[in-house]
C-alpha cells in the first residue's frame, strides 16, 4: 500500500482567485479533484499534504485523516510526492520507484521521497529542495497535463469528464421509464444513482459524451443535460440547460444555461442567466439573470486579470473565474475573461462589470470599494448564515483563513482602487486646455 503526499509548487499563485482558500489539488476537474481521484483509484495506506503554511490549520481540520505539512510523518517511510497541478490517470504511477522522477514537460510530476531525504526539503525553499533531489534521479516522461492557469481546468474538463466516467462506471445505469425521461444516445453512457430523483420531462443527451448523476441529486422537469457532464451529490437542477463539458459539484442549486463550466460545490445559480467557460468557487451566489460573456465580438484571444495582472489565455472562449463567498445581485453582467476574488459583492449599475474585481471588495453601482474591517466582519457573518443553511459551519480555523486572505490581498485591492480612482478622475483643465 502506498503512502502519498500531494504538494503545491510556486505556480499555485497563478490559480488566484479560485485557489486562494484551497490547495490547487482540491480544484475540481471532471468528477473529482486530483486528491479525490488518486485516493479513489489507488490503494493508499496514508496520505499527506504540503500546502501554504497559512492554509494548514483549516485544511487539517477539513481532512483530519491527513498529515499536513508534517515533516515527522514524512520521515516514517517512503512517500510518493505528487504535484497538485498534474492532471493524469492515477494508474500511471503504480510503478513509481526510488531511482526515477516523473516529469511532465519540464516540471516534476512525482518523486519518491526517502525518509533520509526529508532534511533536504528546507521549509523556506521546499521547491528547490525537490529540484535537488530530482537531479539525482533518472527522469521519466509521464502522460497527462501540467495545469498552469484556472482556464486550463475548464479546457480539459470535457475530456476528464469522459475519462472519469469510464474509470469508475459501476455497471448498468438505473433504468428509467421512457415516458418519464428521454435518454438520447447509448443508455450505457448514462449513470444515475438509485438515490437520485429525476422528474418527468427531463432530457438526457449522451450522444456527445457520458452523463453521471450522483446520489441525492434532484433534476426537475424541463431540464436538459448534455454530455459529457457531471451532477454532484445533493445538487438540484431547476429547469436548467446544462451544456456539454460541465461539472457541478455537491450541494449546488443551479438553473439557467451553463456551458463548459465548473462549480466547485455548495454554490447557487438558481435563476435564469448564462454561465459559460467559467469556474465558480464554493459558497458563491449568482443572483437572478447574472450572466457572463465567454466570447469577444471580434473573436480575438482573451486576457484574464489574475491578481490584477493581465494574462493572455491563447483562447477565444474564456468566461469568468469567481472566488469563494462572492455574491452577485440582480442582472449582474460579467465581461469576457473576468476574475472576481473571494468574498466580493457585485451590485450592478446597468453596465458591464470590471474585468478585475479583487477579493474583499464590492462594486456599488459601478464604483469599486474595498471592504473595511467592519465590512469584512459583515461578510463573515453572512458566510456563517449561508453555510448554516447547508448544515455546514464557518469554523474558527476557516475564519482565520479568510482573515489571512484579507491581509494577503491588501496590495492587490489597493492597486485596483487606485487604478479605478485614476480612471474616474475628472480631467485637469490646466493640462487639457479649454
Amino acid at each position: 500500500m502506498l503512502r502519498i503526499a500531494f504538494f503545491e509548487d510556486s505556480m499555485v499563485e497563478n490559480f488566484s482567485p479560485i485557489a486562494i482558500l484551497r490547495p490547487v489539488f482540491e480544484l475540481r476537474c471532471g468528477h473529482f479533484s486530483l486528491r479525490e481521484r488518486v485516493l479513489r483509484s489507488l490503494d493508499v495506506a496514508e496520505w499527506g499534504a504540503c500546502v501554504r503554511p497559512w492554509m494548514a490549520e483549516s485544511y487539517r481540520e477539513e481532512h483530519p485523516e491527513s498529515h499536513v505539512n508534517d515533516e515527522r510523518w514524512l520521515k516514517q517511510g517512503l512517500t510518493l510526492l505528487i504535484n497538485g497541478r498534474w492532471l493524469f490517470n492515477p494508474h500511471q504511477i503504480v510503478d513509481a520507484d526510488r531511482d526515477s522522477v516523473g516529469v511532465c514537460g519540464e516540471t516534476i510530476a512525482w518523486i519518491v521521497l526517502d525518509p533520509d531525504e526529508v532534511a533536504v526539503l528546507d521549509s523556506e525553499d521546499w521547491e528547490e529542495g525537490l529540484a535537488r533531489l530530482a537531479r539525482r534521479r533518472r527522469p521519466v516522461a509521464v502522460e497527462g497535463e501540467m495545469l498552469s492557469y484556472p482556464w486550463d481546468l475548464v479546457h480539459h474538463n470535457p475530456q476528464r469528464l469522459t475519462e472519469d466516467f469510464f474509470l469508475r462506471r459501476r455497471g448498468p445505469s438505473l433504468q428509467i421509464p421512457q415516458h418519464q425521461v428521454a435518454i438520447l444516445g447509448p443508455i450505457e453512457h448514462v449513470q444515475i444513482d438509485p438515490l437520485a430523483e429525476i422528474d418527468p420531462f427531463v432530457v438526457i443527451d449522451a450522444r456527445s459524451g457520458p452523463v453521471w448523476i450522483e446520489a441525492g441529486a434532484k433534476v426537475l422537469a424541463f431540464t436538459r443535460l448534455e454530455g459529457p457532464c457531471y451532477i454532484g451529490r445533493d445538487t438540484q437542477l431547476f429547469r436548467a440547460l446544462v451544456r456539454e463539458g460541465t461539472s457541478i459539484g455537491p450541494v449546488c442549486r443551479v438553473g439557467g444555461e451553463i456551458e463548459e463550466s465548473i462549480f466547485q460545490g455548495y454554490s447557487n445559480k438558481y435563476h435564469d442567466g448564462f454561465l459559460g467557460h467559467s469556474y465558480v468557487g464554493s459558497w458563491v451566489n449568482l443572483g437572478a439573470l447574472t450572466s457572463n460573456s465567454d466570447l469577444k465580438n471580434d473573436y480575438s484571444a482573451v486576457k484574464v486579470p489574475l491578481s490584477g495582472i493581465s494574462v493572455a489565455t491563447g483562447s477565444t472562449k474564456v468566461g469568468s473565474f469567481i472566488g469563494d463567498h462572492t455574491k452577485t445581485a440582480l442582472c449582474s453582467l460579467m465581461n469576457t475573461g473576468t476574475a472576481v476574488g473571494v468574498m466580493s459583492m457585485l451590485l450592478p449599475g446597468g453596465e458591464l462589470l470590471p474585468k478585475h474585481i479583487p477579493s474583499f471588495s464590492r462594486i456599488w453601482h459601478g464604483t469599486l470599494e474595498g471592504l473595511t474591517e467592519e465590512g469584512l466582519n459583515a461578510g463573515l457573518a453572512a458566510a456563517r448564515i449561508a453555510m448554516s443553511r447547508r448544515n455546514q459551519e464557518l469554523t474558527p480555523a476557516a475564519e482565520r483563513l479568510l482573515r489571512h486572505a484579507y491581509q494577503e490581498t491588501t496590495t492587490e485591492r489597493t492597486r485596483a482602487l487606485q487604478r479605478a480612482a485614476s480612471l474616474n478622475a475628472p480631467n485637469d483643465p490646466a493640462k487639457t486646455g479649454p
Side-chain angles (χ1 to χ4, degrees):
M1 295 180 70
L2 294 168
R3 283 165 45 99
I4 285 178
F6 306 94
F7 71 90
E8 298 184 298
D9 60 20
S10 58
M11 290 288 286
V12 71
E13 301 296 334
N14 289 354
F15 288 84
S16 176
I18 60 175
I20 290 177
L21 299 181
R22 62 177 54 85
V24 68
F25 47 80
E26 292 295 344
L27 295 172
R28 184 176 303 279
C29 187
H31 292 195
F32 309 111
S33 67
L34 166 68
R35 176 194 59 82
E36 291 171 330
R37 185 175 294 109
V38 169
L39 295 184
R40 290 177 65 103
S41 302
L42 302 180
D43 190 11
V44 178
E46 295 181 288
W47 68 278
C50 304
V51 302
R52 287 157 280 175
W54 56 86
M55 200 174 285
E57 179 191 20
S58 177
Y59 192 76
R60 189 179 295 113
E61 178 180 74
E62 187 175 355
H63 302 283
E65 76 282 10
S66 67
H67 300 270
V68 183
N69 294 359
D70 191 342
E71 182 177 319
R72 183 171 55 183
W73 177 74
L74 289 173
K75 291 179 178 179
Q76 292 175 3
L78 291 175
T79 306
L80 177 62
L81 303 182
I82 300 176
N83 193 320
R85 296 191 294 113
W86 184 30
L87 189 63
F88 70 107
N89 181 335
H91 297 295
Q92 295 177 32
I93 57 176
V94 293
D95 296 325
D97 63 75
R98 300 167 63 177
D99 300 321
S100 305
V101 55
V103 179
C104 186
E106 299 181 354
T107 303
I108 297 172
W110 60 256
I111 189 169
V112 177
L113 181 67
D114 190 283
D116 295 334
E117 296 174 322
V118 174
V120 178
L121 303 179
D122 188 322
S123 60
E124 297 298 322
D125 199 349
W126 207 81
E127 194 170 352
E128 175 54 31
L130 271 186
R132 289 199 299 272
L133 293 177
R135 287 193 285 268
R136 305 174 189 172
R137 314 286 174 87
R138 175 176 58 87
V140 175
V142 299
E143 297 180 356
E145 303 290 339
M146 196 61 69
L147 305 174
S148 299
Y149 296 100
W151 46 87
D152 293 338
L153 292 155
V154 175
H155 175 74
H156 291 292
N157 202 49
Q159 179 181 351
R160 182 50 54 187
L161 282 164
T162 300
E163 293 181 3
D164 282 345
F165 181 94
F166 292 108
L167 278 173
R168 66 184 295 224
R169 189 169 60 178
R170 297 180 294 231
S173 173
L174 174 67
Q175 298 297 309
I176 299 177
Q178 291 299 303
H179 70 272
Q180 269 195 305
V181 175
I183 297 180
L184 310 178
I187 185 69
E188 63 271 19
H189 289 181
V190 178
Q191 190 78 50
I192 303 173
D193 191 280
L195 297 179
E197 298 180 21
I198 314 294
D199 279 359
F201 306 109
V202 167
V203 175
I204 300 176
D205 186 347
R207 290 175 295 185
S208 297
V211 175
W212 191 289
I213 302 174
E214 295 282 15
K218 296 182 179 181
V219 183
L220 274 65
F222 309 112
T223 292
R224 178 183 175 90
L225 303 177
E226 298 177 357
C229 72
Y230 169 78
I231 309 303
R233 169 183 57 82
D234 296 327
T235 278
Q236 300 178 37
L237 300 180
F238 301 90
R239 309 162 304 281
L241 171 55
V242 180
R243 306 291 300 277
E244 69 282 355
T246 294
S247 293
I248 303 178
V251 199
C252 292
R253 294 182 177 181
V254 175
E257 182 181 0
I258 308 97
E259 180 182 16
E260 288 202 33
S261 294
I262 301 172
F263 284 76
Q264 180 73 19
Y266 291 89
S267 286
N268 291 342
K269 181 194 173 298
Y270 180 88
H271 301 281
D272 285 342
F274 173 73
L275 184 79
H277 292 82
S278 298
Y279 197 111
V280 178
S282 296
W283 307 110
V284 173
N285 189 77
L286 302 180
L289 299 179
T290 291
S291 294
N292 80 300
S293 166
D294 61 1
L295 179 68
K296 295 169 68 174
N297 286 342
D298 61 2
Y299 304 99
S300 60
V302 179
K303 295 181 179 180
V304 178
L306 298 181
S307 300
I309 300 172
S310 183
V311 179
T313 67
S315 175
T316 59
K317 295 283 281 187
V318 181
S320 301
F321 305 93
I322 305 174
D324 294 17
H325 295 285
T326 279
K327 310 289 190 291
T328 73
L330 179 72
C331 296
S332 295
L333 302 176
M334 289 180 279
N335 211 333
T336 319
T338 290
V340 185
V342 168
M343 200 170 275
S344 291
M345 179 71 75
L346 279 58
L347 299 150
E351 299 178 350
L352 281 173
L353 294 159
K355 289 186 62 171
H356 173 228
I357 301 172
S359 295
F360 305 99
S361 63
R362 73 172 187 170
I363 300 292
W364 180 256
H365 296 294
T367 301
L368 177 66
E369 301 175 354
L371 290 188
T372 61
E373 193 74 26
E374 181 181 359
L376 172 62
N377 290 333
L380 293 170
R384 290 189 194 95
I385 295 171
M387 296 179 73
S388 69
R389 288 161 59 92
R390 301 292 183 272
N391 297 316
Q392 300 293 309
E393 179 187 2
L394 182 68
T395 66
E399 180 175 333
R400 284 190 286 272
L401 176 59
L402 280 161
R403 289 188 181 276
H404 181 88
Y406 177 77
Q407 298 299 327
E408 283 287 310
T409 55
T410 297
T411 300
E412 176 191 351
R413 195 162 45 253
T414 299
R415 289 175 177 169
L417 290 167
Q418 291 172 344
R419 186 161 52 247
S422 66
L423 290 174
N424 294 329
N427 293 329
D428 185 344
K431 295 180 179 180
T432 59

